[in-house]
Amino acid sequence: MNCCKPKIHFHFISAFWVLLYLFSTPISVIGQDFKFQTNRKQQTITFSLVKNLIIIPIYINGKGPFDFILDTGVNPMIVTDSTLKESLKVPYVRNIKIGGYGNFDGIDAFLGATTVNVGEAEGENIPTVFLKNEILSLSGYVGRRIYGLIGFNFFNSFVVKINYDEKSLKFISPGKKIKPRGEKIPLELIDNKPYVSVNIEQEGLGSKTLRALVDCGASHAISLEALIKNPFPLPTFSIQANLGNGLTGPINGRIGRIELLKLGKFVFKDVLANYPKYQIDTTTNRERNANLGAELLSRFNVTYDYRNLCMYIKKNARFNYPFEHDMAGIEFYSDGSTSGILIPRYVKKNARINVPFGADITGVELTETSLISRTLISRIEPGSPADLVGLKEGDQIISINFKDIDDYPIDEISNIFKAKSGYSVILEIWRDKTFLIKLLKLKKRI
């Protein structure tokens, strides 16, 4: 069901940006808060941290667990796995249209209300958007099955403490007295999303105070979007990059560095920044300048207190990590499936190092190996080290430095590709029934 005036929501998930236009009336449902079902006042659960994203198990309508990304930048809850709506038997769903920049026809989705459990906390009548088709490849991005994103209703129900050091999530009932640790940072809630004031210094621009969405569901450090109702000015040097995939396809833009970023009393230097390219007139939220993501937020242990419009930040062990971009020029994903790859027999006999780099060894005697997870290259940056050695979109990565790809967590693969300029990486590739070995020399490009 469409309305003539769209209500616009934005959300960015690192390489996967969800830019939602909900062509529907505002959501109004009784309930929507999470509460403990016993006398419990607080609970601590562990989470998985992949590419700076917090992944927690939740139950929906008594079924699960389903892995969801915990995300301050999303409202309402979004189910990206298109198989869930029928299995959950959600009543009274209605058709809506959602879309991204430049796609005003919209994409089919459903809006309903669900009962959601996080630990021993339960939320009734939680507004939930179900994508009709699984457009966003969140599972491929993090290397495990992800069913959706959960945000505002959970954060608004508790004081939420995220300890990135211990990978623990503590949520506390509002009535319980607590002593938050760290510096207090004022929050401003706009459309149920938290905003903070940050200061930056950029070459050629000088010092600016910006309003930034606090988005722990974004893998980047900061995305600079708009300034005085125009696209954000670029720094003196930047490189072209695919900043992600959204509902309407790739999000193009550039990556550069800002000289300084200050949040509260904390100062970061030489920070990587995204500069997305989009038509500014397609947005209505022109007072927002930036999106502050988890590459920066994860350097603190953070306490969110929506009801008192503040958060507390205390630096952790990740605080002094350098901000580095991929030095290989490779974007990759895991599609969740496996394939049986025929590996050359002499390679299997611990003689891989003798295979000529780039050799086409299709004619060599083959032997079938065990099933290997399909880790595929989705994009090669033009002129990058990966491009120069002939890697291509669709290539399947079999191993890195002669260690099977299944032995690497997806975060470790990303870290290898941005380890150090000049560092050599050996990739075994399966392409069109051809086994190739490629030697990459990493190069810092930004």
Side-chain angles (χ1 to χ4, degrees), residues 357-390:
F357 291 117
D360 180 346
I361 50 179
T362 311
V364 178
E365 184 180 5
L366 303 176
T367 180
E368 189 166 0
T369 186
S370 58
L371 292 175
I372 296 175
S373 297
R374 281 169 48 89
T375 301
L376 304 171
I377 294 176
S378 57
R379 179 182 167 92
I380 299 292
E381 289 292 339
S384 67
D387 186 29
L388 296 178
V389 300

Side-chain angles (χ1 to χ4, degrees), residues 12 116 130 134 234 280 298 304-305 309 316 337 362 371 375 390:
F12 303 85
V116 180
F130 295 84
E134 191 165 356
L234 291 169
I280 197 72
S298 65
Y304 294 97
D305 187 350
L309 296 177
N316 61 28
S337 65
T362 311
L371 292 175
T375 301

Side-chain angles (χ1 to χ4, degrees), residues 148-290:
L149 308 104
I150 183 171
F152 170 75
N153 293 102
F154 180 76
F155 282 99
N156 194 52
S157 300
F158 302 106
V159 175
V160 179
K161 294 185 175 183
I162 298 174
N163 188 316
Y164 285 95
D165 281 333
E166 299 177 358
K167 298 179 183 178
S168 67
L169 176 71
K170 187 175 185 179
F171 39 108
I172 306 163
S173 295
K176 182 177 173 59
K177 291 185 178 181
I178 60 171
K179 293 182 179 180
R181 296 182 178 181
E183 182 179 0
K184 183 178 181 179
I185 305 293
L187 289 180
E188 183 180 12
L189 284 182
I190 303 174
D191 292 334
N192 295 333
K193 297 178 184 181
Y195 289 77
V196 293
S197 178
V198 298
N199 296 99
I200 71 160
E201 292 182 12
Q202 179 177 297
E203 185 180 1
L205 183 64
S207 300
K208 295 292 179 183
T209 299
L210 307 178
R211 173 187 278 167
L213 171 67
V214 179
D215 193 352
C216 71
S219 286
H220 57 242
I222 190 168
S223 176
L224 297 173
E225 301 165 359
L227 188 65
I228 316 176
K229 301 183 180 180
N230 289 301
F232 206 93
L234 291 169
T236 304
F237 178 74
S238 62
I239 61 173
Q240 189 167 352
N242 172 26
L243 302 181
N245 290 307
L247 297 175
T248 55
I251 307 297
N252 295 312
R254 301 188 72 85
I255 294 177
R257 288 186 182 269
I258 52 178
E259 296 173 290
L260 180 145
L261 187 152
K262 185 178 181 183
L263 177 62
K265 68 181 181 183
F266 298 100
V267 176
F268 298 92
K269 295 181 179 181
D270 203 25
V271 179
L272 278 173
N274 291 354
Y275 297 81
K277 181 180 179 181
Y278 57 79
Q279 176 59 45
I280 197 72
D281 288 339
T282 63
T283 73
T284 59
N285 191 352
R286 300 182 184 181
E287 296 180 0
R288 164 173 145 183
N289 306 116

Side-chain angles (χ1 to χ4, degrees), residues 24 39 62 93 115 133 146-147 151 159-160 167 180 182 194 200 235 243 274 287 339 343 353 372 381 426 437:
S24 63
N39 292 327
V93 295
T115 297
N133 298 303
I146 299 296
Y147 291 86
V159 175
V160 179
K167 298 179 183 178
I200 71 160
L243 302 181
N274 291 354
E287 296 180 0
S339 59
I343 302 297
I353 197 63
I372 296 175
E381 289 292 339
I426 300 169
I437 295 185

